Amino acid sequence: VRHTVCYLRPPGDFVPELEAAGHEVVCLNLPRKWPWLFAPPKLTPLIRSHRPDLVQTWLFESDVAARLSMLIGPRIPIINTLHSTNYDPETIRASQWPPRRVAALRQIDKITARYARPLFVACSRTVRESAIRNLLLPADDVRVIYNSINQATLVCEPEEAAQLRNQSGIANDGFVF
């Protein structure tokens, strides 16, 4: 198995580790605003030259970029990994996204998903159900693979959370993500 890891724009935070592990890493050098719109002319030739068996993406910009690239280039299976309930009202409120922007992004997401027909892999049933509901995806196109978390890393003494808040200057009633 060979991996080619593409990222949309600098900085390439994980490039040294990926290259040290023997993976090819490519920066597409896309603009910050609407990178998915500018991705196909750069991604499509890369896909043609590498001829991958599949393309896997994470997050909206990469998901849409790959879908658009497949619409104008070779048809390669796409796996879009879903980590969040992006279009649920609670998520939108918490992120304070403008409603018009969210509605536009949701339409782009929905339309490109309909035409590119990727397989979706959600990290939980909640994320799966949210994607099916909000993007009108066929239930058979969305699978669940739970994130693996070593539960021992979540164990702490009761006072540790307060110490971390204090060290970071976060008020006791401040929102922490």
Side-chain angles (χ1 to χ4, degrees):
V1 174
R2 289 180 324 170
H3 294 95
T4 299
V5 178
C6 296
Y7 61 105
L8 301 180
R9 60 185 164 266
D13 295 335
F14 300 104
V15 171
E17 292 93 336
L18 291 166
E19 288 177 339
H23 305 298
E24 178 183 5
V25 182
V26 176
C27 179
L28 297 176
N29 284 313
L30 299 174
R32 283 204 137 334
K33 189 171 184 177
W34 304 337
W36 47 269
L37 191 58
F38 299 96
K42 291 189 174 193
L43 194 53
T44 302
L46 191 65
I47 291 169
R48 280 194 177 111
S49 68
H50 284 65
R51 298 176 44 209
D53 293 318
L54 67 90
V55 172
Q56 183 174 7
T57 64
W58 288 272
L59 303 175
F60 174 85
E61 292 174 342
S62 298
D63 295 345
V64 174
R67 293 179 206 155
L68 290 174
S69 297
M70 297 307 159
L71 292 176
I72 66 169
R75 297 288 295 186
I76 310 284
I78 304 172
I79 299 174
N80 292 157
T81 306
L82 304 172
H83 293 280
S84 178
T85 56
N86 293 342
Y87 303 110
D88 283 359
E90 304 82 27
T91 307
I92 295 167
R93 270 194 308 276
S95 63
Q96 299 177 355
W97 293 340
R100 283 189 181 157
R101 180 174 182 226
V102 172
L105 294 176
R106 180 177 168 190
Q107 287 303 321
I108 291 165
D109 209 357
K110 196 183 325 182
I111 290 167
T112 59
R114 181 178 307 132
Y115 289 105
R117 293 295 308 262
L119 172 66
F120 293 87
V121 175
C123 67
S124 70
R125 284 196 177 159
T126 299
V127 170
R128 176 184 187 268
E129 291 165 8
S130 174
I132 291 168
R133 181 177 59 254
N134 288 299
L135 298 178
L136 305 177
L137 301 173
D140 289 344
D141 289 356
V142 188
R143 312 279 168 71
V144 175
I145 299 176
Y146 294 99
N147 282 343
S148 174
I149 298 173
N150 178 349
Q151 301 229 349
T153 64
L154 303 176
V155 176
C156 68
E157 297 300 319
E159 67 276 358
E160 285 182 89
Q163 288 173 347
L164 286 172
R165 279 181 173 278
N166 190 26
Q167 290 170 353
S168 302
I170 301 171
N172 288 336
D173 62 348
F175 177 76
V176 176
F177 180 75

